[in-house]
């Protein structure tokens, strides 16, 4: 990431959510989640299948409406008209958000225009390079393998140089090399003062990356600890 | 401006997806020809019986294409969660709506333009006037607006089964009826005062109404 | 056809032989067409009712019939392709569809030219004409689907199945004059032809035209198959050069 | 038996999904109603001009609706690769074809049954006889067979919505023509010998032909 | 897996492929893959993104047509009419093959009928239990989390008690507990004499499960070794 980080100097912490609640019909998924992620921090969110990780991330990204609670990105509220806050967020979820019949480059060019990036060409080459997809730049997304599509989705998420990254299981489906590249990217991310919140099921990967490790269970943040950066993986922490 | 940039980006993406390798144009042309064949063979039992029904046939064909186009515009968005991508972007919901609408509109207008001469020749439409062009444009704007809105709803769950027949039908039928009446007048080639004094203004009012209401409520449709 | 579908034994000499055969066939076709023209315009009697336009008959009928043959070959080669999965079958199917489309197009054109004087209209929504037009659409769709398929392999399979199901329309075209009240003349060739529908001299010239047009048909088909062979070779070379 | 079990399982699944969401029936109904209204407004300009074209209109409307329904039947299969699931199962490809076909047939018959009285009232169809019912049934079988087949192809292409009619209509037009002729006779209410001696058998031949060919070649449509 | 294994006593090895080739347009993906997996064996297939793992698995399952080569399951050819061979195979890929608007139980019941399972009710309860989805049995698939859907897809794959399992990244998206359950299932699988071929990007998980570890690269099986069952993971082996 040679790009100049666009960390806003005003406002509050990178990510702030208070009292987030979400029910689906008769099932309370989130029962009052409070969390704050500061600048320069990589927070990893653990939790069993169905714990509500995706729901939480989508609420933070403004894709799903919470039943109660507030969410702020860099101190700015995320709501329907929150264009400013949305520009600060990069999101990659379970779905790739790519168009099968556009090429890799066309997909990125589309999102670049949506985010109002000027002279997008160079930036697109840059992120394609980071996703090691340069040689597939002019191939349709349909013809990429599953992992390649996930890498392109990642490239799409960082394309507009967001200050805050929200990633839902970013390492799943990636080969060992790509996981390493992603780790490097996140390291740069933190050192340049930006922030990321990601979920993963891999204790090994997650703990290696995390400045903070959160666990979501029973609709609440159950534990919130800072693992030793260079220490060994502690799978016991997961329970 | 923000609004327009976002909307045009979305629309342009849809147009580009649609135009990949001119598939659509070629197919639309063939489609029109085949529809004419079906109409002709199906309806042309008594000679000359097609002329009075021509405007109706024209709009049935257009409505069919419109429904297909708008369905497509949204199923494509859902394939890999592209809609989430749009909603994440720093453009307003209105821009997303307008973009999808403009894309469908462009697509429909292109197909209509291709099919019109085909129909004219094969259905013996008497005159093609600029008035007819205007009528088609106005009606298509209304159709695309309402259609985009309901396609957006229809791809979401739950509400569609009631909303679709109960709302879409009464909302879009007036537009089509006005269009058929106006087209019939325009095609007769006689004095077109009725078009200008009654149908065109009516269509304009519909368009304006829908263009104000639809983007506004569209934002609420897409809240998880 | 047997040579094309056969084994690739002695490939180079076989191909050279085929090229020579095509040259000869071209020559023979040219001669036959010239003689045919002479017969049609100089020998055939002028029709008592229709006058000179009736001479289109000798072009219109063979061309229509041979377009049927083209689609028959297309369907059979399609079945062959689905069973065997060798490009060779696909080449034949593709080529015969293209030649067939050219021939129906000509049948439509000659029919339209003929219709103007005798029916006083270029076009009638009439069973034979409509079903012929539909035949044209089906095989245009055949050629379209080839291009629109996500992978070339799918294009070949899909077009084969379209060619097979599309062939159903050919008997419909043929029988349409019987099934529906049609102003188009009834069959003069094939299983449903009435005895003595034609004067002997007309029948003889028609048969000659048929032979001449068949020669042209065969030449075009072989040429197109050969061309497809070259195209395939080219894309294969490109694939081999593409190391990932 | 194997074949029937597989086919019915697939068809039943489609019916159940449809009963959940009602999207095919709802949208087809809306479109059908639009068509009726448009025809009525657009065509009923010269009094009595509708009667001769009514059978044609009926079938044009049915044909369009059929395309919508068959499209939907397959896009649903592609959503999460359900089609792969069908192809993996130890049932023959014929069974998959037959299942999808029976599902579409059921939807179309339901829609046709709902729309027929509507059409009868609005288009002034003279008589509704069992013969007409039989004609509709026979024609719809042929229609669903060919349609299912081509929907399987079209759904795998980019511009699937528009490509389906282009592939499908030419092949099915003979069926439609026979159906129009037969319906016209049946609606006139006169002697129906021509229906029984000519059109019904012809439709039966078409049905049989397509029912033999389509399942056989359908297996090839889904080879990656 | 208390189910009686249905390992066919006739025929050849569990999975056999020879000379499998596959091109996509001008790109040769598989250039002659030979592989055999014996009964009682768990084979894990490694390979970078885009190596062709999914393509290979789909060809073995009969979903994609190879350009050349033959594939046999239990000595029976997999081709269009290979109903017998297909009944022996359980497949779970990148897509779940589930219908969003049917419930979990309805989805399984549908597949049970397709596979001609009699008295499916009990068997469905059993696999739902194994996928720990019993409490969601009557919920629509649409309402399940990503990992739950993957688990249901897995349940679908083993529903008909296949003798051979083909799994494409089965562990991705599953939480730690589910991964452990899956490991147990695979262990039972092998000891009861059945066979499985699976792909994964996780060296840790893959090597722990594998009786044999294969690597796909350059369109061919590049290495084929049997890791020490109880030994430590050897990530170096991956390249
Ligand atoms: C665009 C208009 C026309 C089309 C598409 C058309 C199509 C065909 C086709 C496909 C055939 C061969 C089918 C068969 O052998 O049964 C045919 C044969 C024939 N056509 Fe036409 N035709 C057209 C116009 C005409 C006209 C205007 C005439 C003269 C009045 C005519 C006279 C004949 C005759 C005499 C035959 C041979 C009868 C036969 O073998 O069927 N055609 N036409
Ligand atoms: N549309 C919905 N309707 C009803 N329930 C839902 C819906 N979406 C999610 N849920 C429920 O919400 C809970 C949380 O789902 P979520 O997808 O957030 O889990 P997750 O932590 O991301 O799980 P995974 O690790 O499997 O991705 C689950 O129990 C799920 O069943
Ligand atoms: N439909 C297609 N058209 C063109 N190329 C394709 C198509 N499907 C796959 N490919 C190519 O084939 C290669 C192998 O793809 P495959 O999905 O088998 O990889 P994979 O090993 O499963 O990768 P991953 O680990 O990312 O899932 C890739 O290079 C991909 O781009
Ligand atoms: Mg999740
Ligand atoms: Mg893969």
């Amino acid at each position: 990431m040679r790009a100049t980080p666009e960390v806003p100097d005003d406002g509050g912490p990178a990510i702030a959510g208070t009292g987030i609640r979400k029910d689906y019909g008769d099932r309370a998924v989130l029962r009052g989640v409070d969390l704050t992620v500061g600048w320069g921090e990589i927070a990893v969110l653990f939790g069993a299948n169905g714990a509500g990780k995706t729901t939480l991330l989508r609420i933070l990204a403004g894709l799903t409406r919470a039943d109660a609670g507030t969410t702020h990105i860099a101190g700015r509220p995320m709501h329907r008209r929150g264009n400013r806050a949305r520009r600060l967020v990069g999101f990659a979820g379970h779905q790739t958000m790519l168009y099968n019949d556009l090429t890799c480059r066309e997909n990125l060019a589309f999102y670049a225009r949506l985010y109002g990036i000027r002279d997008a060409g160079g930036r697109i080459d840059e992120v394609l390079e980071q996703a090691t997809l340069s040689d597939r730049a002019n191939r349709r997304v349909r013809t990429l393998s599953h992992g390649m599509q996930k890498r392109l989705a990642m490239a799409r998420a960082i394309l507009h140089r967001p200050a805050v990254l929200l990633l839902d299981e970013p390492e799943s489906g990636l080969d060992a090399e790509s996981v390493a590249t992603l780790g490097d990217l996140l390291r740069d991310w933190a050192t340049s003062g930006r922030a990321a919140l990601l979920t993963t099921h891999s204790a090994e990967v997650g703990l290696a990356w995390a400045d903070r490790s959160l666990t979501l269970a029973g609709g609440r943040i159950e534990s919130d600890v800072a693992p030793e950066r260079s220490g060994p993986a502690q799978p016991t922490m997961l329970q | 401006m923000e609004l327009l940039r976002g909307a045009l980006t979305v629309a342009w993406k849809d147009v580009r997806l649609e135009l990949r390798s001119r598939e659509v144009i070629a197919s639309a042309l063939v489609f029109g020809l085949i529809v004419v064949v079906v109409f002709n063979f199906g309806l042309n039992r008594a000679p000359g019986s097609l002329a009075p029904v021509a405007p109706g046939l024209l709009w049935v064909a257009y409505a069919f294409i419109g429904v297909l186009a708008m369905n497509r515009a949204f199923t494509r968005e859902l394939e890999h969660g592209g809609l989430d991508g749009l909603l994440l972007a720093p453009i307003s919901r209105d821009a997303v709506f307008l973009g999808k609408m403009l894309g469908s509109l462009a697509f429909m207008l292109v197909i209509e333009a291709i099919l019109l001469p085909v129909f004219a020749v094969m259905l013996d439409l008497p005159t093609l006037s600029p008035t007819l062009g205007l009528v088609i444009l106005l009606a298509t704007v209304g159709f695309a607006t309402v259609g985009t809105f309901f396609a957006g709803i229809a791809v979401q769950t739950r509400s569609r089964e009631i909303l679709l027949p109960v709302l879409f039908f009464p909302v879009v039928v007036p537009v089509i009826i006005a269009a058929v009446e106006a087209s019939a007048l325009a095609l007769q080639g006689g004095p077109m005062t009725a078009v200008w004094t009654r149908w065109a203004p009516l269509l304009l009012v519909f368009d304006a109404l829908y263009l104000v209401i639809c983007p506004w409520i569209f934002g609420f449709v897409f809240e998880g | 056809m047997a040579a094309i579908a056969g084994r690739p034994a002695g490939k180079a000499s076989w191909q050279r032989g085929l090229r020579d055969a095509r040259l000869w066939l071209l020559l023979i076709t040219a001669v036959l067409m010239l003689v045919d023209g002479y017969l049609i315009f100089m020998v055939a009697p002028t029709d008592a009712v229709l006058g000179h336009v009736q001479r289109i008959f000798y072009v219109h009928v063979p061309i229509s019939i041979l377009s049927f043959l083209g689609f028959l070959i297309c369907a059979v080669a399609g079945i062959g392709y689905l069973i065997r999965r060798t490009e060779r079958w696909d080449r034949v199917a593709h080529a015969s569809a293209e030649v067939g489309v050219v021939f129906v197009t000509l049948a439509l054109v000659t029919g339209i030219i003929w219709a103007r004087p005798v029916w006083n209209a270029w076009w009638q929504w009439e069973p034979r004409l409509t079903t012929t037009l539909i035949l044209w659409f089906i095989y245009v769709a055949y050629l379209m689907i080839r291009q629109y398929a996500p992978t070339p392999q799918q294009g070949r399979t899909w077009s084969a199945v379209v060619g097979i199901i599309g062939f159903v329309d050919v008997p419909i075209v043929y029988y349409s004059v019987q099934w529906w009240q049609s102003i188009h003349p009834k069959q003069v060739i094939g299983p449903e032809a009435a005895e003595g529908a034609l004067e002997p001299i007309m029948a003889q010239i028609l048969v000659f035209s048929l032979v001449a047009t068949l020669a042209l048909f065969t030449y075009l088909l072989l040429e197109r198959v050969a061309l497809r062979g070259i195209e395939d070779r080219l894309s294969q070379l490109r694939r081999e050069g593409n190391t990932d």
Side-chain angles (χ1 to χ4, degrees), chain A, chain B, chain C:
Chain A
M1 290 302 297
R2 221 155 303 121
T4 46
E6 296 192 354
V7 179
D9 39 8
D10 62 331
I15 305 170
T18 46
I20 300 172
R21 299 187 54 88
K22 178 77 190 174
D23 302 334
Y24 281 112
D26 55 359
R27 183 180 297 274
V29 175
L30 300 179
R31 303 156 182 261
V33 171
D34 301 300
L35 93 171
T36 328
V37 179
W39 296 107
E41 213 173 36
I42 308 285
V44 176
L45 185 66
F46 292 100
N49 290 142
K53 305 180 295 299
T54 298
T55 308
L56 179 59
L57 249 64
R58 286 179 61 92
I59 288 173
L60 291 173
L63 283 175
T64 299
R65 195 184 172 80
D67 295 330
T70 58
T71 56
H72 292 260
I73 298 289
R76 291 165 188 165
M78 281 300 266
H79 56 64
R80 278 198 330 116
R81 311 219 165 264
N83 286 358
R84 289 250 199 74
R86 265 188 264 137
R87 194 186 297 280
L88 296 174
V89 176
F91 178 87
H94 288 308
Q95 289 185 296
T96 57
M97 307 185 195
L98 300 168
Y99 298 94
N100 263 343
D101 284 311
L102 293 180
T103 64
C104 298
R105 186 184 299 282
E106 284 167 346
N107 265 291
L108 294 178
F110 166 62
Y111 280 104
R113 235 168 307 157
L114 274 189
Y115 281 86
I117 302 176
R118 260 163 296 150
D119 311 319
R123 178 67 186 151
I124 289 174
D125 288 337
E126 209 172 284
V127 294
L128 278 174
E129 183 68 42
Q130 281 184 297
T132 42
L133 284 171
S134 304
D135 57 326
R136 303 283 182 127
N138 297 317
R139 299 273 172 166
R140 302 216 178 145
V141 167
R142 187 185 289 289
T143 69
L144 300 185
S145 81
H146 181 72
M148 291 172 174
Q149 294 191 9
K150 279 217 64 155
R151 264 146 50 187
L152 187 58
M154 189 65 210
R156 188 197 57 70
I158 59 168
L159 178 67
H160 59 290
R161 298 198 176 92
V164 174
L165 264 183
L166 299 172
L167 305 176
D168 204 358
E169 305 186 20
E171 93 298 348
S172 86
L174 301 193
D175 57 19
E177 208 174 319
S178 309
V179 173
T181 315
L182 181 60
D184 295 346
L185 184 138
L186 287 173
R187 181 128 329 278
D188 282 0
W189 205 263
T191 49
S192 68
R194 285 167 289 181
L197 173 64
L198 45 113
T199 74
T200 180
H201 289 297
S202 168
E204 190 195 25
V205 168
L207 292 178
W209 290 348
D211 293 319
R212 266 175 63 203
S213 134
L214 311 164
T215 308
L216 189 65
R220 291 204 186 74
I221 301 286
E222 215 189 40
S223 84
D224 181 347
V225 291
E228 285 295 311
R229 232 313 151 56
S230 46
Q234 292 146 283
T236 44
M237 228 168 57
L238 282 173
Q239 55 242 4
Chain B
M1 277 307 87
E2 261 323 85
L3 180 80
L4 210 64
R5 179 178 59 79
L8 286 180
T9 307
V10 174
W12 173 237
K13 183 261 304 168
D14 274 358
V15 169
R16 168 174 251 162
L17 268 172
E18 212 51 86
L19 288 194
R20 283 255 103 113
S21 72
R22 310 229 160 33
E23 223 163 278
V24 177
I25 307 270
S27 306
L29 195 68
V30 177
F31 171 79
L33 288 170
I34 291 167
V35 167
V36 175
V37 172
V38 173
F39 280 161
N40 261 298
F41 210 86
L43 311 184
N44 206 3
R45 309 176 58 77
S49 64
L50 266 187
V53 297
L57 294 182
L58 191 72
W59 281 102
V60 167
Y62 283 0
F64 180 70
I65 296 252
V67 171
L68 288 182
M70 252 119 32
N71 249 328
R72 183 89 196 96
F74 271 95
T75 47
R76 183 189 291 136
E77 244 14 286
L78 289 193
E79 233 168 53
H80 288 287
L83 198 64
D84 283 350
L86 296 184
L87 299 179
L88 278 171
I91 56 173
S92 62
R93 266 60 171 152
D94 317 6
V96 174
F97 176 81
L98 229 80
K100 294 306 288 179
M101 185 280 235
L102 286 177
S104 300
L105 180 66
F107 182 68
M108 284 180 67
L109 285 177
V110 167
I111 294 186
E112 286 169 352
I114 299 173
L115 291 187
L116 191 58
V118 178
F119 281 131
V121 172
M122 310 217 25
L123 293 182
D124 258 339
L125 300 187
T127 13
L128 296 183
S129 56
T131 315
L132 183 65
L134 182 85
V135 168
I136 292 180
L137 178 69
L138 284 179
T140 308
V141 168
F143 197 85
T145 310
V146 180
T148 301
F149 178 68
F150 281 98
I153 289 182
V155 294
Q156 312 270 71
T157 28
R158 296 280 146 69
S159 42
R160 69 188 144 195
E161 54 195 72
I162 336 126
L163 274 180
L164 201 62
V166 172
L167 271 178
F168 182 64
F169 177 67
V171 168
V172 88
V173 157
V175 175
I176 296 185
I177 290 176
V180 172
E181 299 279 350
S183 313
L185 285 175
L187 282 171
Q188 272 160 22
M192 302 201 184
T193 39
V195 175
W196 293 110
T197 58
R198 179 187 286 175
W199 300 115
L202 190 63
L203 282 172
L204 249 171
V205 169
F206 281 139
D207 289 354
L209 214 61
Y210 295 146
L211 270 174
V212 169
I213 300 175
C214 289
W216 181 63
I217 31 182
F218 186 77
F220 296 104
V221 170
F222 287 102
E223 285 177 354
Chain C
M1 299 317 315
I4 294 165
R7 301 268 135 216
K11 215 168 181 187
S13 70
W14 176 80
Q15 275 174 350
R16 203 170 318 120
L18 192 66
R19 199 178 323 132
D20 292 347
R22 289 209 306 275
L23 264 175
W24 280 110
L25 192 57
L26 179 59
L27 217 74
I28 295 169
T29 306
V31 173
L32 282 175
M33 295 308 281
L34 280 175
V35 175
D36 193 35
Y38 175 80
L39 288 177
I40 292 173
F41 287 104
M42 300 304 178
V43 178
T46 306
D47 190 275
V49 186
L50 301 178
H52 286 297
V53 251
Q54 189 269 341
R55 292 180 201 279
I56 290 184
F57 172 77
Y58 303 105
V59 180
H60 176 77
V61 176
I63 275 182
S64 310
I65 298 286
L66 284 174
S67 70
F68 295 173
L69 179 64
F71 299 138
L72 177 64
I73 296 173
C74 175
V76 171
I79 294 175
Y81 176 73
L82 290 185
I83 294 171
R84 280 288 139 98
R85 299 309 178 117
T86 45
E87 304 233 336
R88 202 161 292 188
W89 283 107
D90 178 61
R91 264 174 237 160
V92 175
H94 186 190
S96 57
E98 279 187 351
V99 176
V101 165
V102 171
F103 274 57
V104 235
T105 310
L106 289 176
L108 283 167
V109 170
T110 52
I112 285 172
I113 295 172
W114 196 356
R116 178 68 214 173
V118 297
W119 294 342
N120 226 339
W122 295 107
W123 187 264
Q124 297 273 324
W125 289 104
E126 183 277 350
R128 169 59 67 80
L129 274 56
T130 308
T131 48
T132 310
L133 184 63
I134 286 165
L135 194 63
W136 186 82
F137 280 127
I138 291 176
Y139 285 89
V140 166
Y142 174 100
L143 298 177
M144 277 167 80
I145 197 70
R146 244 172 202 293
Q147 311 220 317
Y148 294 175
T151 65
Q153 151 107 35
Q154 273 166 313
R156 293 193 284 269
T157 331
W158 290 358
S159 60
V161 301
V162 171
I164 293 168
I165 196 170
F167 185 74
V168 171
D169 198 42
V170 168
I172 296 177
V173 174
Y174 183 78
Y175 285 105
S176 58
V177 282
Q178 262 177 316
W179 289 343
W180 291 280
Q181 295 91 340
S182 173
I183 50 172
H184 187 281
K186 297 271 185 289
Q187 299 96 329
V188 293
I189 291 183
E192 293 292 331
E195 277 297 321
L198 287 179
E199 279 177 50
I201 177 72
M202 292 172 89
Q204 282 155 14
I205 294 177
L206 180 64
V207 168
F208 188 88
S209 284
L210 204 59
V211 172
T213 319
L214 182 63
L216 177 70
F217 177 89
T218 316
Y219 170 71
L220 287 176
L221 190 62
L222 291 183
E223 198 63 51
R224 186 66 187 98
V225 170
L227 191 64
R228 253 299 302 273
I230 294 169
E231 287 169 11
D232 289 352
R233 182 97 190 94
L234 197 70
S235 70
Q236 193 193 338
L237 287 175
R238 199 176 291 146
R239 184 161 57 230
E240 279 164 10
N242 194 333
T243 41
D244 208 24

